[in-house]
Amino acid sequence: MDRHQTQLQLQQQANAWLEQQKTGLSKNQQHAFLTWLNTNPEHLAAYQQSQQVDQLLTQFSDSDITQLNISTTKRVSPLWAIAACVALFMVSITSYQFWPQNDTSAHYSAQYQSARSEQFDVALPDGSQLSLDAQTHLTLAFDANQRVNNLIQGRALFDVTSDPQRPFIVIADNTKITVLGTRFSVDKKQNSTRISVEHGRVKVQNKQHLIELVQGQQVLFNEQGMAVQNVNPHLVAAWRDGRLIFNNAPLDEVFAEFNRYHDTHFEFTDSTVSNMMLSGTFSATDLDNFLNLLPHVLPVEIKNTNNHIVISKI
């Protein structure tokens, strides 16, 4: 078998998996897909190419696709011939048969890390979606029994596809969040972890506590213990729109949030300033406007020299 035939068969396999995902994968099929995806880097590349081609084909009408069945002896323009070949890769899946789905040892692992001021979304093979905020580090390790995500630092939004046989687990230090299908945010800072539920239900556990959160609830774990609060579920992912929302948050936490998006150094002259509470909604990208506004809200003075910000009490 020559190299061209091998690539053609590989692309057909990728196309077949993509089409099958549209109608839904069984548990065994999902296991087989993850195994296939991780067997060879070329498999992932072929699958990503199939996704790109699929998006391209949405620009064609049904009649355009029908015309792809024209005889190969008919003369066509070079550009249309290329489009036809690309599309035929997709329609060739109708003749492809899935192999037996009896593999239960599928594994999937990945690592994602965002830079300062960078946000991005990730589509996972199980159908779940991730959204990473700036300065976030996350690792994934899926197997046949569970889907484990380790949030090392930062904030991520999880939109989880339900799979009762494989719980979706997020670990942040000694806090473990377990779900079957829901949408929630986890924000891990140096001395605290906050879990907020947009919809669905999650189980949260650490060494001292075991609780369940439902839509519109959040829990904060820090050095003082645990606090459960009600939140507007529509604002759980407000940071994805560049909005920072604070509800009686201490200033050191507020500035730490801005530091996700701005290369600045800030310091407080004493703890009475860093512990001042602030509420409000601010633009994550507009630090200058926030610095100008803050002295009108709290009794503080701000000096900014070459991105070194000193906050003192008046």
Side-chain angles (χ1 to χ4, degrees):
M1 182 182 298
D2 60 30
R3 176 67 176 174
H4 174 73
Q5 290 176 317
T6 302
Q7 286 299 115
L8 178 61
Q9 291 181 351
L10 181 59
Q11 199 65 55
Q12 287 176 332
Q13 293 174 12
N15 294 341
W17 282 122
L18 181 63
E19 192 67 13
Q20 184 71 3
Q21 280 191 318
K22 294 179 181 179
T23 58
L25 297 178
S26 68
K27 177 183 176 181
N28 287 339
Q29 289 172 338
Q30 184 67 42
H31 293 161
F33 169 63
L34 292 175
T35 300
W36 176 85
L37 196 66
N38 290 278
T39 299
N40 191 313
E42 291 185 358
H43 291 187
L44 177 59
Y47 180 73
Q48 291 174 334
Q49 181 175 344
S50 293
Q51 289 180 310
Q52 294 171 355
V53 171
D54 190 42
Q55 294 174 356
L56 173 65
L57 288 183
T58 60
Q59 303 176 27
F60 293 94
S61 65
D62 292 339
S63 61
D64 290 335
I65 300 299
T66 301
Q67 291 299 316
L68 294 175
N69 293 321
I70 60 176
S71 170
T72 56
T73 61
K74 185 176 180 179
R75 293 183 61 85
V76 293
S77 69
L79 289 178
W80 181 252
I82 293 173
C85 290
V86 169
L88 284 173
F89 267 134
M90 296 302 296
V91 299
S92 67
I93 62 175
T94 58
S95 62
Y96 181 81
Q97 300 295 321
F98 284 95
W99 55 84
Q101 309 294 325
N102 57 5
D103 185 357
T104 60
S105 61
H107 292 270
Y108 174 77
S109 61
Q111 180 174 220
Y112 300 101
Q113 191 163 3
S114 59
R116 190 188 303 275
S117 77
E118 179 186 25
Q119 296 180 345
F120 60 84
D121 300 327
V122 179
L124 299 180
D126 69 335
S128 300
Q129 300 283 331
L130 300 180
S131 296
L132 272 67
D133 198 1
Q135 292 190 315
T136 296
H137 187 189
L138 179 74
T139 63
L140 287 72
F142 291 9
D143 61 27
N145 299 313
Q146 59 185 1
R147 297 167 286 171
V148 178
N149 305 255
N150 185 12
L151 183 60
I152 299 171
Q153 71 172 33
R155 175 164 52 199
L157 181 72
F158 301 86
D159 195 345
V160 180
T161 296
S162 179
D163 185 350
Q165 304 304 316
R166 287 201 310 161
F168 193 95
I169 298 170
V170 180
I171 297 175
D173 280 341
N174 63 350
T175 301
K176 178 181 178 181
I177 306 105
T178 305
V179 303
L180 295 179
T182 187
R183 182 177 167 93
F184 64 103
S185 175
V186 182
D187 184 3
K188 180 183 178 300
K189 295 185 172 67
Q190 184 175 357
N191 298 314
S192 67
T193 299
R194 187 189 307 271
I195 301 102
S196 307
V197 180
E198 183 172 318
H199 66 73
R201 180 186 298 269
V202 304
K203 180 175 70 174
V204 183
Q205 182 178 6
N206 63 14
K207 295 179 179 179
Q208 293 80 30
H209 306 281
L210 173 60
I211 62 172
E212 285 195 0
L213 300 177
V214 298
Q215 179 182 25
Q217 287 187 320
Q218 73 175 15
V219 61
L220 173 66
F221 295 106
N222 55 24
E223 296 173 344
Q224 286 72 47
M226 179 189 76
V228 179
Q229 303 170 323
N230 293 325
V231 295
N232 184 338
H234 299 295
L235 300 180
V236 167
W239 52 268
R240 297 187 66 204
D241 301 320
R243 291 181 294 162
L244 300 180
I245 301 176
F246 304 107
N247 182 19
N248 284 327
L251 277 186
D252 57 352
E253 179 180 321
V254 171
F255 275 90
E257 282 290 297
F258 274 101
N259 230 27
R260 294 185 199 258
Y261 311 95
H262 302 271
D263 186 12
T264 60
H265 175 75
F266 64 90
E267 64 174 292
F268 301 96
T269 54
D270 57 68
S271 60
T272 60
V273 181
S274 62
N275 291 327
M276 288 184 179
M277 298 297 182
L278 179 70
S279 297
T281 300
F282 306 93
S283 169
T285 59
D286 198 351
L287 177 60
D288 289 339
N289 185 61
F290 172 75
L291 294 178
N292 292 331
L293 177 65
L294 189 59
H296 298 281
V297 178
L298 295 175
V300 296
E301 180 181 24
I302 296 177
K303 294 182 179 180
N304 187 355
T305 305
N306 296 326
N307 286 330
H308 181 86
I309 301 170
V310 178
I311 306 100
S312 58
K313 185 177 181 179
I314 296 179

